[in-house]
Amino acid sequence: MPRNRIIILLGILLMLLAACNSQSTEEKMYEHLEEAVSQEDVFAEQQQPLVELEQQEKELYNEIISLGMEEFDQVKELSEEALGLIDKREERLKAEKESIESAKSEFDKIDSLVDELEDDQVQSTANEMISVMDEREQAYQALNEAYHSALEQDRKLYQMLQQEDLQEEDLRAQIDVINENYDKVIAANETFNDKTEAYNQLKQDFYEQAELNVEYENQSESESNKQSESDEDAQEDEQDQENTKDE
């Protein structure tokens, strides 16, 4: 390689390094924080499909209830379809979880930068933001586990509906278990939403205090998820009512 070309390349490299080093700590943190938002895009993308899958499952259940166990062959076929929908919901839930965890890994890159912040107020807000994000992560893991448990109880319900000798009292008991599980999902989801709102506010405070001149729009990643869980609660309540009516 010609010597003059080497010199030019070295010059470009030095310029790039100088540009990177000229970034303030606040700007470096901003890049990680916004990349974390991008990593949650997959999480947001799962919400509407989850709602649609839940609605399809609800329609199948209502059809099963309208048939009654007298039409066992049809009930069994529809139950199989419902089990397939549960599998699809689990796939969406897995993608959702991976997205949240990827975003948290990106967010954690700001930890080593906080001590470099010169302004005490900005540093205090950054530390509080980290604390709340940790709580948000824990809240999501609790929500994810609760949702998984609820799906397993849904799966058990449709497996029971494939038993021709299914007893009324067993079905009633399972419906009660399902409703209890979705109560836990609703509670966990509310906690996650609260932590998300608190984190978004702290991030906005951090940007303003650091004078980053960012046009900040509150993130609402969890709102569609909240809608999804509310739909589930309504679905299970309707299942209980319809089951009682049928009996």
Side-chain angles (χ1 to χ4, degrees):
M1 180 183 292
R3 185 175 177 181
N4 61 342
R5 187 177 178 187
I6 294 175
I7 292 172
I8 292 172
L9 289 175
L10 285 173
I12 293 173
L13 179 60
L14 289 172
M15 288 174 63
L16 289 172
L17 289 172
C20 291
N21 290 331
S22 68
Q23 270 192 317
S24 69
T25 299
E26 290 86 350
E27 289 170 337
K28 292 176 184 177
M29 291 176 66
Y30 165 81
E31 289 186 354
H32 291 307
L33 293 173
E34 292 309 304
E35 178 58 27
V37 172
S38 296
Q39 292 293 325
E40 285 201 19
D41 285 348
V42 175
F43 166 83
E45 290 166 2
Q46 306 312 305
Q47 306 315 308
Q48 185 57 37
L50 272 172
V51 171
E52 292 171 359
L53 288 169
E54 291 160 6
Q55 182 61 34
Q56 291 173 38
E57 185 184 324
K58 174 182 177 181
E59 291 170 0
L60 283 175
Y61 183 86
N62 289 340
E63 191 173 349
I64 290 171
I65 289 299
S66 68
L67 289 171
M69 297 305 285
E70 298 83 5
E71 304 289 342
F72 180 70
D73 288 342
Q74 285 183 265
V75 168
K76 187 174 181 179
E77 182 179 345
L78 292 172
S79 296
E80 284 288 353
E81 286 186 45
L83 288 169
L85 293 176
I86 291 174
D87 290 339
K88 291 180 180 179
R89 288 167 66 191
E90 285 187 328
E91 290 173 7
R92 294 286 181 181
L93 198 62
K94 181 181 178 182
E96 179 187 274
K97 185 172 186 287
E98 290 173 352
S99 175
I100 288 287
E101 291 177 346
S102 177
K104 182 60 164 57
S105 294
E106 181 65 32
F107 174 88
D108 287 343
K109 293 177 182 178
I110 74 168
D111 288 359
S112 61
L113 297 171
V114 174
D115 289 341
E116 298 177 15
L117 294 168
E118 296 179 0
D119 187 285
D120 290 342
Q121 183 181 22
V122 174
Q123 189 177 90
S124 176
T125 300
N127 281 320
E128 189 176 358
M129 182 172 62
I130 289 172
S131 178
V132 171
M133 175 54 100
D134 288 342
E135 293 173 359
R136 179 180 184 261
E137 168 72 8
Q138 294 169 10
Y140 175 76
Q141 295 299 338
L143 171 59
N144 184 271
E145 291 174 11
Y147 198 93
H148 262 301
S149 296
L151 284 178
E152 285 307 306
Q153 295 306 322
D154 283 343
R155 188 186 303 280
K156 185 176 179 180
L157 171 67
Y158 292 112
Q159 289 171 342
M160 291 173 66
L161 287 168
Q162 295 184 51
Q163 301 170 13
E164 196 165 9
D165 60 348
L166 176 62
Q167 299 298 308
E168 177 183 316
E169 61 185 39
D170 293 335
L171 185 57
R172 281 180 173 275
Q174 183 60 21
I175 291 293
D176 289 342
V177 170
I178 287 173
N179 287 333
E180 289 172 6
N181 271 265
Y182 278 105
D183 284 344
K184 293 177 182 178
V185 170
I186 295 298
N189 191 68
E190 288 177 354
T191 300
F192 175 68
N193 286 338
D194 290 343
K195 295 301 180 182
T196 298
E197 184 177 351
Y199 166 73
N200 286 331
Q201 183 59 57
L202 284 166
K203 187 170 75 167
Q204 182 175 0
D205 293 344
F206 172 76
Y207 285 169
E208 291 174 354
Q209 292 167 10
E211 299 181 348
L212 288 171
N213 298 320
V214 175
E215 287 189 12
Y216 185 89
E217 183 177 351
N218 283 329
Q219 303 298 319
S220 57
E221 303 100 325
S222 62
E223 288 307 308
S224 53
N225 193 43
K226 182 176 181 180
Q227 177 185 355
S228 173
E229 305 307 341
S230 298
D231 287 347
E232 279 293 350
D233 187 54
Q235 174 184 350
E236 300 310 328
D237 286 342
E238 184 170 349
Q239 286 179 350
D240 197 11
Q241 293 168 8
E242 290 287 349
N243 184 58
T244 303
K245 184 192 299 182
D246 187 64
E247 292 165 357

